[in-house]
Amino acid sequence: MNQPKDEGLAGNEKIEQAITALQQDATQEQLAHTLTVIRRRMKEQGRLVAAVEPDISSGQMQPRVVRTADGSAWWYAFTSFEEQAAGPEQVQSAFLVDIGRLLDTALTAPQISGVILNPWRRTIQLDKTLIHIIKGE
């Protein structure tokens, strides 16, 4: 059965391919290429599937946080519904968000280190330095 495909997700397979290539050949050149691919998708109004959870204090949804081994807090998002479903943990709530908007918001959130794309496989951790590079700042 085919899952519904949001037009904003169409083209994100280019991000997945670039991340896979980076995982196989972790060079500065491949990292630069991967960041460029993410920037292009952002400029094309590409979207991500962002994991969210309710904020009890405000009653609104907020990006879901995952902590890495060093204790840093990260938001996470997926390039496709297939990537979202690939992990051991079922993400209960998610919404589609513009890549640029998610990255902009991450830059203004002091409590998080950045955004992890596809935390289960084809993973890249975009810390705030890499986000600034993607944004062209």
Side-chain angles (χ1 to χ4, degrees):
M1 184 169 162
N2 290 337
Q3 285 193 319
K5 183 82 169 171
D6 181 90
E7 295 207 8
L9 298 176
N12 283 357
E13 63 278 354
K14 296 172 191 170
I15 296 173
E16 295 169 2
Q17 292 164 356
I19 293 170
T20 298
L22 178 62
Q23 289 174 329
Q24 294 169 351
D25 184 25
T27 63
Q28 290 297 316
E29 293 80 14
Q30 191 59 49
L31 175 61
H33 170 71
T34 302
L35 299 179
T36 299
V37 170
I38 296 169
R39 178 185 302 126
R40 283 186 193 137
R41 287 294 303 133
M42 179 185 71
K43 289 184 175 185
E44 295 168 355
Q45 308 304 310
R47 294 182 176 191
L48 296 171
V49 180
V52 295
E53 62 190 359
D55 179 352
I56 295 167
S57 64
S58 71
Q60 304 209 355
M61 299 302 272
Q62 67 180 13
R64 193 154 180 201
V65 173
V66 63
R67 293 210 177 267
T68 53
D70 65 1
S72 299
W74 298 76
W75 289 342
Y76 60 102
F78 306 91
T79 51
S80 66
F81 291 113
E82 293 78 20
E83 283 295 324
Q84 177 189 2
E89 172 188 321
Q90 288 297 323
V91 176
Q92 299 300 318
S93 297
F95 71 98
L96 295 172
V97 63
D98 291 338
I99 295 171
R101 178 174 285 171
L102 180 65
L103 298 181
D104 285 341
T105 306
L107 288 173
T108 64
Q111 72 277 19
I112 66 147
S113 297
V115 177
I116 299 174
L117 288 185
N118 300 333
W120 317 138
R121 55 184 192 172
R122 291 192 277 228
T123 301
I124 186 168
Q125 284 183 267
L126 301 173
D127 64 19
K128 291 184 180 183
T129 299
L130 295 179
I131 292 172
H132 280 293
I133 292 169
I134 292 167
K135 299 288 294 172
E137 302 169 346

